[in-house]
Amino acid sequence: MKQIKFRAYDNGVMYAMAMVGEPANPSVWTTANWRECTDNVILMQFTNLIDKNGKDIYEGDILKNGDWVRSVTYDAPEYKFDEGKSLISISFKDFEVVGNVYENKNI
């Protein structure tokens, strides 16, 4: 079953998100510190994929496999690497989340 999870990035801080209210209405989300978030908040959705270390992979994450480093993007209806290759056809047993495009722009 697909999990619907988000995280939010705002003013240099990454926040875990939690659904509020009924599961039938997953459009209502909040963070523990939502009052601190600004209008510039960036939401990132969980891809339902896990890296080799058991870490959740979100939109905007940077994945590494040897010398190969790519970021994850969303291009409806699927997640892709920044080069356009679909994540659906890839095994993630050798991939590792090494950061995200918001906090690690130098990777």
Side-chain angles (χ1 to χ4, degrees), residues 62 68-73 80-85 87 101:
I62 299 170
W68 196 80
V69 179
R70 296 287 185 272
S71 63
V72 176
T73 62
K80 297 181 176 185
F81 285 112
D82 54 3
E83 65 184 9
K85 185 172 184 172
L87 299 183
V101 297

Side-chain angles (χ1 to χ4, degrees), residues 6-94:
F6 290 89
R7 67 182 182 196
Y9 182 75
D10 187 46
N11 285 335
V13 179
M14 190 70 71
Y15 297 96
M17 302 288 295
M19 187 171 52
V20 174
E22 297 295 320
N25 183 12
S27 61
V28 181
W29 294 84
T30 189
T31 70
N33 300 317
W34 188 251
R35 294 185 192 275
E36 296 175 15
C37 292
T38 69
D39 291 339
N40 298 321
V41 67
I42 300 166
L43 296 178
M44 293 160 274
Q45 188 170 3
F46 175 50
T47 64
N48 276 278
L49 300 169
I50 309 291
D51 79 352
K52 71 179 186 179
N53 299 316
K55 187 171 182 179
D56 292 348
I57 300 173
Y58 283 83
E59 176 183 7
D61 277 346
I62 299 170
L63 303 180
K64 183 175 182 178
N65 182 358
D67 291 335
W68 196 80
V69 179
R70 296 287 185 272
S71 63
V72 176
T73 62
Y74 182 70
D75 185 12
E78 65 185 339
Y79 292 95
K80 297 181 176 185
F81 285 112
D82 54 3
E83 65 184 9
K85 185 172 184 172
S86 173
L87 299 183
I88 293 172
S89 62
I90 295 175
S91 167
F92 287 89
K93 66 179 182 161
D94 296 323

